[in-house]
Amino acid sequence: MTPDQPIIDWAWVGRNLDLLLEKTGEHALITVLSVLIGLAIAIPLTITVRRWRPLVGPVLGFTGALYVIPSLALFAFLIPITGLSLTTTLIAMVGYTLLILIRNTLAGLDGVTPELVDVATGLGYGPGQRLWRIEAPLALPVIMAGIRLATVSTIGLVAVAGIIGQGGLGDVIINLGIHAFFATPIIIGTILAATLALAADAGLLALQRALSPWAGRRAVDG
Amino acid sequence: MIAFLGELGAWFTDPAHWTGNDSIPLRLGEHIGLSVGGLGLAMLVAIPLGLFIGHTGRGTAVVVSASTIGRAIPSVAILGLAFPVTLTLGWGLGVPPTLLALMILAIPPILTNLYVGLREVDPELRDAATGSGMSGRQLLRRVEWPLALPLVLAGMRTAAVTVVATATIGAILSTGGLGRYIIDGIAQQDYPKMVAGAVLVMLLAFAVEGLFAIIQRRAVSPGLQRQAGPGGVLATPEGRAGGG
Amino acid sequence: MISAAAPTASAVSFEHVEKRYGAGPPAVRDLSLTVPAGEICVLVGPSGCGKTTTMRMVNRLVEPTSGRVLIDDQDVAGLPAVELRRRIGYVIQQVGLFPHLTIGQNVAVVPNLLRWAKADVAERVDELLLLVGLDPETYRDRYPAALSGGERQRVGVARALAARPSVLLMDEPFGAVDPIRRERLQNEFLRIQDELGATVIFVTHDVDEAIKMADRIAILDVGGALTQYDTPNAILSAPASPFVEQFVGADRGLKRLSLSRVGDLPLDQPLLARVGEQRAAVRARLPDDGAFVLLTDGQRRPLGWLSREALNADGPLSDTEAVPGSALLQPESTLRDALSALLAADVQSGVVVDAHDAVLGTISVDAISATLRVDPA
């Protein structure tokens, strides 16, 4: 990293294409897994707290506090238990998705017009049918907005796990770049991570529109 | 587990960790210094810029790109990019790249929230203020700014939490701060040190949240308090996008 | 008396004023009219007639494309906009109270912009809250979110009057409140205006409101053309064009009732009884042909009617036995509003109350219809 070095060493990029591809895939995989596991926890939890309203405060309070813990600190809490492993990264990432996913799912379901719930009940829907056929589809735009936000934010956070060697493109940026005083991996890693985030955001937005065509183009944004 | 808690307790009570050049007060001071510095520099840039763009409605593309970049680029990447920049400029290692990165990370939430806060002021209120004979500056100072304040403070809170978290990661650029304990603890496989560092960082993050909750209650007009958002766990949806 | 009055009211004139936005047809075209000092001029017309645009040219929130707007023969274009606006009161339909300021601070906005001394501002705020019928102790430190629509509108009027403006602009000020409260706010404003004597330019799309409030009505047609400018009486008697005739409506005879007010007619004086009074004492006062007594509380506020039979027993009167059902009217209510209120109520005799809700007298449907027979149609 001296002024006479070229900004990007393309020869290095050429030699390491396979590695970059693999790390990008790993980054995407961790993100997808985290959001899916997050959803598997958040959705049943949200349905539960909607039945027992007094639980809303504690659940949002706990996931909110989790969200505020800096990522490196959360890794440090997990390392004595799960070691410098992919599991450590995954647990932390899932933890960070919970607040956004629960809050948006809750807001989405609570935002369904009461008259519609009333009409559905009047038409003879049971509570379960009403949830899946009326409330869930109507809440979908807000829930999808939460998934987008959780996904983009996870892509950023995964990179921090490069510090423990389990961070996808974070490994490239930190271990091949910063620790080696070598700018090329930093720049290439950044470009790949940002592209991944923007692509995920755009893809999920397209999915959201395809799934809820009635919601119009100015769908809820978080 | 019990044994580990004992080791952790021993680490905290070891007098050696309370004096010298790797002491808790020193590291905490460094961490707060870095965070306040990064946040302060960001405010110096974001507040005048946001006031101008929000009040005049000109240059909105700047806000949109800042918020997109702020969401898409990982905080680690910003730290990584700041590193060659300060090195090339001859500012050296450690504090300069970390401060630069913290400033860059803190600008988007402050700028975006200030802009949105000003833009969302009811046009009827602007009309009433102008019709009552307020000048452009009086409108900004007496009406637009106080009405935007809840969102502005929420943006600063988001920025502050991001800055405290990223200052921890700054330890990989050989900066001081509480992140040193975690990074060195990982490297030396000294788990009590690592977890102790994590506890300190977490407490600092909670303290920052609490501080902003108090500021929010004190600074925002009681007439607006009910709009300030439930519970105040997280005031903006952006939260910590970009990571940290 | 409260010194709400402006030092002197100012005349407002429009001279060949035109306003165009871009290349389209003008929003206001060749408008010339003069509002004499101290009068209420109501600008009325369908939407798109440029009435709000016209009003906003007085305080330069809109600048005319050509022509001049004069206040006391001074072209407003030559005055600094900010200082001009501080001399002109401004009330809008959505009220526009600043939610982060208390009621007192809202009323104090213009005096503070003018850098009045603190004590003067505080005194003025209380004075104005009293004037619009809000107790300063109760309301001064509340925030707008805690107020009802009618209360907010009153604060809006108080804020506009704070710096004793010589001209007051009101853009559909009572448009957002329900009809019953609107009637009351209109009456209160007329009462205030009697003391103020400011020059008022009042915008509405409601012809009945125009007839009630106006000294002069300016009727504007789509595209900002002035079709008639005259007193309400003249407009009702002699509409200048088919447009005005249609706009004013077919029931012009009934609308003439809006030209007179309850206070213009002699009121009947019912026999009053107070809560706590002995029935025997009231019975003694009741004339042989009297069938009903109006029960009031300690402040002469009406509670309802008592029949002769209810007085036959002994003991003191309680507040639960009165039968409500009369419409409450103010001296400022128009005969038209009074008539419709009386016809809607259970009892066809309305109780007229003053600003403190104390009984002034009663008025019957017959008394109002009698005026219709006498009035030249």
Side-chain angles (χ1 to χ4, degrees):
Chain A
M1 251 184 246
T2 48
D4 51 291
Q5 246 180 346
I7 296 174
I8 298 182
D9 178 351
W10 290 107
W12 180 91
V13 178
R15 280 198 309 279
N16 291 282
L17 269 183
D18 285 348
L19 176 80
L20 290 172
L21 207 63
E22 183 198 321
K23 287 293 173 186
T24 308
E26 189 181 302
H27 204 113
L29 186 68
I30 299 173
T31 305
V32 171
L33 275 178
S34 307
V35 175
L36 286 180
I37 299 173
L39 277 171
I41 298 172
I43 289 179
L45 200 58
T46 308
I47 293 170
T48 311
V49 300
R50 286 189 82 224
R51 296 260 162 83
W52 290 285
R53 281 278 161 186
L55 289 178
V56 171
V59 166
L60 286 182
F62 176 75
T63 51
L66 199 60
Y67 195 83
V68 172
I69 300 175
S71 50
L72 190 54
L74 193 51
F75 291 140
F77 287 130
L78 292 167
I79 288 168
I81 307 163
T82 49
L84 300 177
S85 67
L86 201 57
T87 317
T88 302
T89 309
L90 262 182
I91 295 176
M93 293 305 116
V94 169
Y96 286 132
T97 63
L98 289 181
L99 175 68
I100 302 172
L101 294 176
I102 293 176
R103 207 194 38 183
N104 275 47
T105 309
L106 196 62
L109 291 174
D110 285 353
V112 176
T113 325
E115 287 80 33
L116 288 175
V117 179
D118 203 50
V119 165
T121 315
L123 288 172
Y125 283 93
Q129 286 172 310
R130 199 182 62 204
L131 180 63
W132 290 114
R133 297 190 183 199
I134 307 292
E135 294 176 279
L138 288 175
L140 200 66
V142 183
I143 299 175
M144 284 298 294
I147 295 176
R148 275 170 63 201
L149 198 56
T151 305
V152 172
S153 131
T154 303
I155 291 173
L157 284 162
V158 167
V160 180
I163 291 173
I164 58 168
Q166 301 291 348
L169 292 165
D171 297 351
V172 175
I173 295 171
I174 295 171
N175 301 320
L176 304 181
I178 296 174
H179 288 163
F181 279 51
F182 185 24
T184 302
I186 301 178
I187 296 167
I188 297 293
T190 303
I191 292 171
L192 288 173
T195 310
L196 200 58
L198 294 175
D201 197 45
L204 286 168
L205 185 62
L207 181 66
Q208 170 189 326
R209 286 183 183 153
L211 288 178
S212 44
W214 65 85
R217 295 192 69 82
R218 283 182 53 89
V220 196
D221 216 334
Chain B
M1 188 69 191
I2 303 287
F4 183 77
L5 285 180
E7 285 176 60
L8 192 59
W11 191 91
F12 273 111
T13 46
D14 186 345
H17 296 142
W18 291 93
T19 51
N21 56 11
D22 193 28
S23 72
I24 295 172
L26 179 76
R27 292 298 182 212
L28 182 66
E30 287 171 344
H31 205 114
I32 293 174
L34 276 172
S35 304
V36 170
L39 197 62
L41 287 172
M43 283 163 65
L44 279 181
V45 176
I47 291 181
L49 197 60
L51 285 177
F52 175 79
I53 299 173
H55 182 68
T56 62
R58 278 184 289 173
T60 51
V62 176
V63 180
V64 176
S65 9
S67 91
T68 310
I69 291 169
R71 283 165 66 141
I73 300 186
S75 53
V76 167
I78 305 257
L79 274 173
L81 291 174
F83 188 45
V85 169
T86 53
L87 220 55
T88 310
L89 292 172
W91 295 352
L93 273 172
V95 172
T98 309
L99 263 185
L100 179 66
L102 296 183
M103 175 182 93
I104 292 170
L105 279 165
I107 288 174
I110 302 177
L111 183 63
T112 310
N113 280 33
L114 177 53
Y115 168 76
V116 173
L118 292 178
R119 283 286 100 185
E120 278 187 354
V121 170
D122 188 347
E124 299 295 342
L125 294 180
R126 286 176 211 267
D127 185 52
T130 311
S132 299
M134 289 192 195
S135 64
R137 282 176 80 172
Q138 286 168 329
L139 171 67
L140 185 59
R141 206 166 62 84
R142 294 177 184 229
V143 178
E144 292 178 327
W145 173 259
L147 289 175
L149 198 59
L151 264 185
V152 173
L153 288 174
M156 287 186 190
R157 179 171 172 172
T158 303
V161 172
T162 306
V163 159
V164 167
T166 309
T168 319
I169 306 170
I172 58 175
L173 302 184
S174 338
T175 327
L178 296 166
R180 276 264 61 83
Y181 295 134
I182 304 180
I183 298 288
D184 296 346
I186 294 173
Q188 300 154 5
Q189 300 200 11
D190 181 347
Y191 285 179
K193 182 181 194 172
M194 174 184 78
V195 173
V199 168
L200 291 168
V201 169
M202 181 183 71
L203 292 179
L204 184 59
F206 287 166
V208 168
E209 275 278 304
L211 181 69
F212 271 89
I214 293 170
I215 294 177
Q216 187 109 22
R217 217 167 305 149
R218 290 268 170 90
V220 172
S221 155
L224 301 174
Q225 288 289 7
R226 281 204 305 170
Q227 301 167 16
V233 177
L234 228 202
T236 43
E238 274 77 15
R240 291 219 318 253
Chain C
M1 204 66 237
I2 294 162
S3 64
T8 45
S10 307
V12 178
S13 307
F14 295 82
E15 288 183 352
H16 303 289
V17 169
E18 182 157 301
K19 178 65 191 177
R20 284 173 184 276
Y21 292 101
V28 175
R29 92 180 70 184
D30 195 24
L31 178 78
S32 295
L33 66 82
T34 295
V35 184
E39 288 201 359
I40 301 182
C41 166
V42 177
L43 304 175
V44 66
S47 63
C49 72
K51 52 193 190 289
T52 297
T53 306
T54 301
M55 186 204 79
R56 287 163 68 91
M57 284 192 272
V58 176
N59 65 353
R60 294 187 60 192
L61 287 171
V62 172
E63 303 282 2
T65 312
S66 62
R68 304 194 301 165
V69 179
L70 308 170
I71 295 182
D72 282 341
D73 300 323
Q74 232 184 341
D75 188 346
V76 296
L79 302 168
V82 163
E83 277 143 53
L84 172 76
R85 290 173 192 146
R86 291 173 190 171
R87 284 172 33 199
I88 298 177
Y90 186 52
V91 187
I92 56 179
Q93 180 180 345
Q94 296 78 3
V95 193
L97 293 188
F98 302 120
H100 61 297
L101 301 181
T102 63
I103 299 308
Q105 288 166 336
N106 264 287
V107 175
V109 162
V110 181
N112 281 333
L113 287 173
L114 292 168
R115 302 182 190 287
W116 286 17
K118 260 200 170 128
D120 293 344
V121 176
E123 190 187 341
R124 182 69 181 153
V125 165
D126 286 5
E127 208 173 78
L128 282 159
L129 288 177
L130 277 175
L131 181 71
V132 297
L134 298 172
D135 173 35
E137 294 303 322
T138 314
Y139 286 92
R140 193 194 300 121
D141 298 321
R142 286 200 189 167
Y143 284 91
L147 266 55
S148 72
E151 289 168 333
R152 276 183 224 181
Q153 204 50 263
R154 290 193 175 101
V155 178
V157 171
R159 180 173 69 182
L161 297 176
R164 301 187 176 87
S166 59
V167 176
L168 189 58
L169 306 180
M170 305 180 88
D171 189 359
E172 308 221 11
F174 310 128
V177 286
D178 63 73
I180 293 174
R181 280 201 198 99
R182 185 184 315 149
E183 217 265 291
R184 190 160 185 144
L185 286 168
Q186 289 167 345
N187 294 346
E188 283 175 7
F189 181 72
L190 288 169
R191 201 176 290 165
I192 292 168
Q193 167 66 3
D194 275 348
E195 295 169 19
L196 283 181
T199 307
V200 181
I201 297 181
F202 189 111
V203 167
T204 183
H205 61 265
D206 175 357
V207 180
D208 292 309
E209 186 169 54
I211 293 168
K212 175 171 183 178
M213 304 303 285
D215 293 312
R216 272 161 217 269
I217 299 178
I219 298 184
L220 298 169
D221 197 354
V222 176
L226 180 65
T227 53
Q228 190 166 7
Y229 180 51
D230 215 326
T231 62
N233 194 3
I235 284 177
L236 285 175
S237 326
S241 70
F243 167 76
V244 174
E245 198 169 344
Q246 195 205 342
F247 187 75
V248 170
D251 55 343
R252 277 191 285 138
L254 198 53
K255 282 202 166 69
R256 296 182 62 82
L257 280 177
S258 298
L259 295 172
S260 316
R261 302 183 194 285
V262 168
D264 302 338
L265 295 186
L267 301 179
D268 300 323
Q269 292 303 325
L271 182 63
L272 298 182
R274 250 182 321 109
V275 167
E277 214 176 337
Q278 291 298 326
R279 282 163 214 269
V282 179
R283 210 159 49 221
R285 290 211 305 272
L286 190 66
D288 292 341
D289 58 337
F292 292 99
V293 172
L294 183 60
L295 185 64
T296 63
D297 68 4
Q299 272 96 48
R300 268 176 75 93
R301 289 183 295 215
L303 297 170
W305 297 96
L306 290 173
S307 65
R308 176 181 277 277
E309 291 74 49
L311 296 170
N312 282 339
D314 278 319
L317 288 165
S318 81
D319 55 358
T320 53
E321 50 198 309
V323 183
S326 274
L328 284 188
L329 303 167
Q330 283 105 35
E332 296 82 6
S333 300
T334 64
L335 293 187
R336 186 169 198 267
D337 289 334
L339 186 61
S340 72
L342 288 182
L343 293 176
D346 297 339
V347 182
Q348 297 214 333
S349 177
V351 180
V352 184
V353 295
D354 67 9
H356 307 290
D357 283 337
V359 175
L360 291 170
T362 62
I363 189 165
S364 66
V365 173
D366 290 344
I368 296 174
S369 32
T371 67
L372 273 179
R373 287 193 289 276
V374 191
D375 246 24

